[in-house]
Every structure is written in structure tokens, then in C-alpha cells.
Amino acid sequence: MHREKIDRIITEHRQFLDQFNHHVFVCSGLGCPRNDEIRRALERAVQTQHLQDAVLIRKVGCMGLCSAGPLVLIQPQELMYQGVQPEDAEEIIASLGKSPIQRLLLPADLAFFTRQHKNVLRLSGRIDPESLPDYLVAGGYQALLKTLATLQPPDILRSIQDSGLRGRGGAGYPTGLKWATVAKAQGSPKYLICNADEGDPGAFMDRSLLESTPHAILEGMIMAAYAVGASQGFIYIRAEYPLAVQRLKRVIRDAEQNNLLGHSICGSNLNFHIQIRLGAGAFVCGEETALIRSIEGKRGLPRPRPPYPAEKGLWGCPTLINNVETYANIPPLITHGPEWCANLGTDKSRGTKVFALTGRVRHTGLIEVPMGMRLREIVDDIGGGLTEGHTLKAVQTGGPSGGCIPAALLDTPVSYESLNELGSIMGSGGMIVIDETSSMVDIVTYFMAFCRDESCGKCTPCRVGTAQIHNLLIKFQNHRATMADLEMLEWLCDLLKNTSLCGLGQSAPNPVLSALRFFRREFLDCIATEQAHEEVKP
Amino acid sequence: MTTPILTLTIDGKEVSGLATETILQVARENGFSIPTLCWLEGLTSVGSCRLCMVELRGSTALHPACITLIQEGMTVTTSSERLLRYRRAIIELLFSERNHACAVCVVNGHCELQSLAQQLGLDHISFPGLYPALPVDASHSRFVMDHNRCILCTRCVRVCSEIEGAHTWDVKDRGIRSRIVADLDTPWGDSTTCTGCGKCVHVCPTGALFEKGKSVAEMFKKPPALPYLKATRAQEV
Ligand SMILES: Cc1cc2nc3c(=O)[nH]c(=O)nc-3n(C[C@H](O)[C@H](O)[C@H](O)COP(=O)(O)O)c2cc1C
Ligand code: SF4
Ligand code: SF4
Ligand code: SF4
Ligand code: FES
Ligand code: FES
């Protein structure tokens, strides 16, 4: 019964789309400037050239190469125009079906696009984020329908476990194991949370996913709810993401109206509701126990674990909490089967990972690559190498909890293990390319200032330690440090790592330790006394 | 249902405890001392000062004894060179955070922070003092709040909320800017919720909260019998 309704929507929408000879996709992400104006200009051009029956202008999610934005994609020719301005609209519409506008054209074989492997981003930039029919025509919700019709919760749990999927929110905890724990946990009701807090500076993976394919996140959450037995879900998202919030509200309503969410979903016995909770933008509220307190309406302070949220989470009930990208991985994983994900990536780091590639590379934006790809390929091929006249110094991964990989180690494959070995982390996916003009001391001082300001202040080592470390780093910046300061810096880093209550304090020293490991020279050069130069001599 | 009794080893000695007990409880019952600051019997544990950290066999991480439940077969070390070094550094950080000039403090000689420092053999602070400019709130008719001595253990917050039921105190801001506030950051004397019971003053481990008009010799803390209060109230309900 329900299937028929979905199939009817798909057929009708496909017929509608097929009427047009040309589809013009305009990025509607927050990352591209003036894209609303461009869309309106294109719509006007279609009217003035009387092409309403032949050309469809459509707003879509991020196409990835934000540094060349605003981007416009012409289908079916698959032409990508970069740096489009509203003034280009008439010309673009007039050129449809004729030869492309060379001045705006991005080369079709740009490594930025060809070297990626899109999985969770596969529909990003290809569908209207807010359109349920668009998502359905693209194959959306088929995984959910398949799940409800043919799979039992243990089947899904097994698939997720077999796939080897690990959490994309930072720590890389095995997703299947977490789901199985929540499924087994005693207590009801069970809750489900989507962690969309994304506080790492420079990171916009989750925001972009929510802005580009919000239905896919819902679909992943609904399947998770079915697998673990949750009846109520929350999306915890920061209020600084207004476009993502607006789109989420819209798709939740549409999903409810089409019985994809709510009571007896698609005629099954699954009841699942989703509510949005706005976060005020504190980095620590991304930490799961702080996030849970925040949803409960309290001050967002972390608490020691165990008990883990899987056992005692929201209001003391078993709670599944996963990252946005983790949920986004679920529908393709169920559609293609666990082997498909397991065959991508490395032995212990399976599947693909989305990164926000920024810094001194030619092409910056949102990318998705199979795990295990070497950093060099990401920087040189996908990123197009460094900007003119500059040389690579390091790649910073994992944001304020991560570290830097020096240029000499650029052949490191991107996996949880290999990055950990180098004292960095995959983290949520921030990747900053650093060139010779930047000082590592400045970079780590920036990250430590961030951690000092974002520390919740609950535990002593993090609250006072981050302030002390930051003051020491300022001394280095001002070339007033001594060898004793360097010793104290290392001792404080060790203290924070080992005695802080939550991940914020435990990982805050990582950028400093990693810089000290690979760029110690720069710190020694900041030491004012003669003594330093003596001690360095072999 | 009866609570299972578990056996474990603390500093080489075999001991037993209820499955609902923490390492700290069992250790103290058996005569081992573990330093604590944020923990106070009768209040919920928050595990925030990080002084009570202990080592567990099979785990490289340290665990706060005040909040970690015992487990069958657990092997706990409550004092080692490593633990002592960390504990001393944590105390040093607390001393460096605000102004702790003990010689001129109202609770000199009756201060938990001071005695812990003495116990751990601290005679100087290696971290530079941060010396923030903080006010003293003397607006209450009987008590004073001196932010310069506060170590943010939140015992006052918890006792007022959990035992007195007034919830006058809370924490504002975050990180190094965190500050204890009365009501919505009003002077204590203007507080409409404070009942003047004085519990917060007497659970405060330092000279941050004290009674007016008492000399240093008189100003020692008399923590109320919180577990007793809690138990009798539970019966009343
Ligand atoms: C300080 C701190 C901030 C965090 N911020 C986020 C965040 O913004 N988004 C996120 O998904 N996870 C964040 N995490 C990780 C979460 O605590 C949690 O591990 C994650 O949401 C679990 O989902 P996953 O298993 O799908 O990765 C943060 C952790 C810490 C310690
Ligand atoms: S480590 Fe920092 S953020 Fe985490 S609980 Fe302690 S003070 Fe708060
Ligand atoms: S005197 Fe009593 S009521 Fe007033 S703040 Fe202290 S504990 Fe709360
Ligand atoms: S005022 Fe006293 S009891 Fe309250 S947080 Fe500060 S030190 Fe702790
Ligand atoms: S936001 Fe427009 S291409 Fe990324
Ligand atoms: S007493 Fe355990 S952390 Fe403070």
C-alpha cells in the first residue's frame, strides 16, 4: 500500500524531470556566495528566452569544489561552470545545446573530481536538498523500505558489524558494536541522537551533508532506530547552522507527512519520531555526555564514563549517539551490503571518509576518498598542489584534537591507525594544508587558545592547564621562552593528556606534542637564552 | 535483590565491597587514604578535581576513585610515584589559578587545599600565578564569598541544591573564566533563594566562603552531617 504511493511519487516526478532538455543545477550551500541571486538570474534568463518548457533551474547541495564557487552544473552534458556571477546567466542559458562557455568551464577531467570516491556525498550537488521526490527518484528511502520489509533488527546489526564501519565523529568507535550494545541494553524507552554539533574550527563536513542531503541523514537514523529499538530521536545541531536547521525542519515534516517518520512507519510496527535540539555553539557540547546533558536542559558539562550512553544516556535511558556522517553511511551500506564497505579502505579503516580540505592548496572544499589513500594524493592530485610559489610544510588533521604530518611523511595512508601512530588523528575530517610561511608555534598557539576558551571549566587540569600552556606558548611566540619553559610545556601536556576528565582536555595537547615531535627546531629557535643554542648542539 | 559482594585488591591487600560502592569508599573503609577535593560524602560525585585518580591493572589510563565502581578482581594502586607527581601538579595548578595567600586567609590552618599541599610535600608552586582580578562579595549579612580563594569544586552548588533545596549557587562562564554565582549572577545579599542556612559555607574546602566577624582561629568549617540529613529526609518522604 505504502510502496505504491512512493512508487507513484517517483513515476510522476521522473516524468516531470524528463520533460526538460536541460537541467541547470545551482549550488545552494552556505559556502557559495550570491548563489541565490545567480539562481534568480538564471530563472529570469529562462523566461526572457522563452525556454520554460525546455530548461529547468534547480537548487542543489554543495558540489565540493567550494574554492571555485559559485558552481553551476549543466545536465545531461555534465558541464561544470565555476565562479559564476548573476551577469553570466543570459549567456549560460543561451549557450545550452550549443558549445560551452570556455571562460567559465572547469575541465571535465579535473583530478579534484575524478580521484574522489563518492559514497555519502554521491547525491550532494545532484538533488534538491529539500525535495522528497528528488531524493526518492535518486533511490532514496529504498534502503529503509528494504529494511522494514525484509530485514529483522539482528540482520541489520550483523551487516553493520560485518561492514567494519567506524564512527566518523572523531574517536572511530566500531558502529556495529555500539548499536549491538544499545540493542541489548536493558531499559526503556531507548533514545537515539544524531550529533550534528561539529565544533572543530575549519570543519564543515556535517553541515554540508545536512544542507545537501538531509533526507539521507533521516533515513540512516530511522534504520538505526529500527535496529536498536529506539522510539525517539534527537538531532543536536548548533544554531550557527541556520540553513541546515531550516532544511532539517522541512524534511522532517515531509517525511512525517509521507509516513516515513512517525507512527507505524511505512505500515510497519516501527514508531519513531525526530526532534531538533539547537545547541548554543559550545565545542564541548559535541562531547557525547555533555551533549546529553544539554538536551536534558542542563549546563553542558561532560561526566566520567562509564556508564556509557549506550547503557545510561538521555534521562538515564539507553541511548545511541552517532555522528551525522556515520548515519549517512547507513543507507548505502544496507543497499550494497556490508562487503561493499568492507572492500573499500584498509583492513581496520573501512569505507570512505569526507574531509574538509582547506589551507594552502589550489582546490579547497569538501572531498570524499576511500580510506587508505595517501595524503600526497589528496594534497597533490585532489587539492591540485600548493598555491603558486609555495612549498608544503605539513598537513594538520583532526583539528584541535589532532596533529600535523610533516611533508616528509606525506606518503602516510589516511587511516585511523596510521594517523594515530604519527600522534595525529582522523578526527571528524578537518584537513589543513600548511606551507613554509606559517609558523608551527603560531598554529599550535591558535589551537590552544581555542581549547582554553572552549574548556568547560569542570576539571582542574583542563581548566587551568590550557591557560598555563597557552601562556607558555605566547612566551615562545615572543621569543622569551627558556629551556625550563619547554620542560614545563611538555610536563603540562603530559598532565592534561593523562588526568583530564573528557576528550577535550585529554586531546588538547595533541597539536603541541605533535609539533614538538616534528618541528622541535621551531620551538628551540624561540628560546631566548644562549643556553638553548648550546643544548641543541650535538 | 541483594547487592553482590565483590573482592578486589587495593595496594596489595585483598578487600571486599558491595557492587554499588566506589573504589574510594572501599579504600577508605579499609584504611587507605586517597586525597579528594570535589568529593564530599552525601553529595553526588562529579569527578572534577581529578585528585583521587588511581591506577588499575590492565589499563594505562587513570581512573577517578570517587566515581569508579569496584569490579570483581580489580587491582588498584592508590599511590605511586606517577600518581603523586600528578596529584602535586594538580594542587599546584589550583594554587596558580587564583590568589591563595594562605598567611592572610581566614581559614589559614583549617583549609583542605592547604593541608593537601602539606601532605603532598609541596613547598613552592612551579607554575606562574595567573592572578585574575576577582571581586569579594560581602553583600550577605552573615557570610562572605571571596572568589580569589575559590577552587570551583562546586561543593557549595551541590549542597545548596541537593540538601538545602534552594539551588542558590551555580557556575557561570566556562574554562578559566568560570565563576560561582548566586541566583542569576546577583550579589549574594540580594539573593531571593538563599535561606541563610550556611551549609555552603561549611562544606567549602577553602576560604572562599566564610562567616563574617570570625577570627582566623574561630573560622574552621563544620561540615553538616550530609549522609544523615539525606537519609532522614528520604524516610520522611
Ligand atoms: C570535545 C569533544 C567534541 C566533540 N565534538 C563532536 C562533534 O562535533 N560531532 C560529533 O559527531 N562528535 C563529536 N565528538 C565525539 C562524540 O563525543 C562521540 O564520540 C560521537 O558523536 C560518537 O559518534 P560516532 O561513533 O558516530 O563517531 C566530540 C568529542 C569531544 C571529546
Ligand atoms: S577536560 Fe576540559 S572540557 Fe572536559 S570536563 Fe575537563 S574542563 Fe571540561
Ligand atoms: S547559605 Fe544555605 S541556602 Fe544560602 S547559598 Fe549557602 S547553602 Fe544555599
Ligand atoms: S566557593 Fe568553596 S565550595 Fe564553592 S566552588 Fe568555590 S571552593 Fe568550592
Ligand atoms: S558550497 Fe557551493 S560548492 Fe560547496
Ligand atoms: S575527588 Fe574524585 S575527582 Fe575530585
Side-chain angles (χ1 to χ4, degrees), chain A residues 192-312:
Chain A
L192 186 144
I193 296 172
C194 172
N195 187 343
D197 196 54
E198 191 166 61
D200 290 34
F204 54 95
M205 298 79 50
D206 294 346
R207 191 198 78 195
S208 207
L209 278 172
L210 291 164
E211 282 176 7
S212 305
T213 55
H215 273 295
I217 315 297
L218 293 195
E219 188 179 359
M221 288 177 70
I222 304 166
M223 286 155 70
Y226 178 68
V228 304
S231 51
Q232 175 69 52
F234 293 93
I235 301 177
Y236 187 88
I237 179 169
R238 43 181 55 220
E240 285 111 314
Y241 287 180
L243 184 62
V245 173
Q246 174 208 316
R247 291 194 173 155
L248 275 173
K249 281 187 181 157
R250 167 85 197 264
V251 300
I252 288 174
R253 203 189 59 211
D254 286 353
E256 277 168 353
Q257 285 178 352
N258 286 281
N259 191 221
L260 292 158
L261 204 56
H263 283 294
S264 79
I265 294 176
C266 299
S268 73
N269 56 9
L270 173 65
N271 300 320
F272 183 60
H273 302 263
I274 295 180
Q275 286 181 20
I276 296 177
R277 283 290 181 275
L278 294 186
F283 177 57
V284 74
C285 284
E287 196 279 340
E288 55 191 26
T289 61
L291 188 152
I292 284 170
R293 278 184 67 97
S294 179
I295 293 185
E296 288 170 352
K298 300 179 195 140
R299 189 174 156 91
L301 299 181
R303 63 156 177 79
R305 303 168 305 167
Y308 288 88
E311 220 183 304
K312 281 198 162 60

Side-chain angles (χ1 to χ4, degrees), chain A residues 150-170:
Chain A
T150 62
L151 299 175
Q152 292 302 311
D155 303 328
I156 307 181
L157 294 175
R158 204 169 321 111
S159 280
I160 305 291
Q161 264 170 325
D162 289 349
S163 73
L165 180 69
R166 294 169 65 172
R168 302 296 194 237

Side-chain angles (χ1 to χ4, degrees), chain A residues 299 455 459 463 468 494 498-499, chain B residues 50 86 96-97 128 173 175:
Chain A
R299 189 174 156 91
S455 160
C459 73
R463 181 181 72 238
Q468 291 283 8
D494 176 73
N498 286 291
T499 62
Chain B
R50 315 306 281 170
Y86 284 142
S96 78
E97 183 179 17
D173 281 347

Side-chain angles (χ1 to χ4, degrees), chain B residues 145 149-156 180 203-206 208-209:
Chain B
M145 165 66 176
R149 308 281 200 257
C150 173
I151 55 167
L152 294 164
C153 66
T154 69
R155 284 189 194 180
C156 55
I180 298 290
V203 298
C204 176
T206 68
L209 292 171

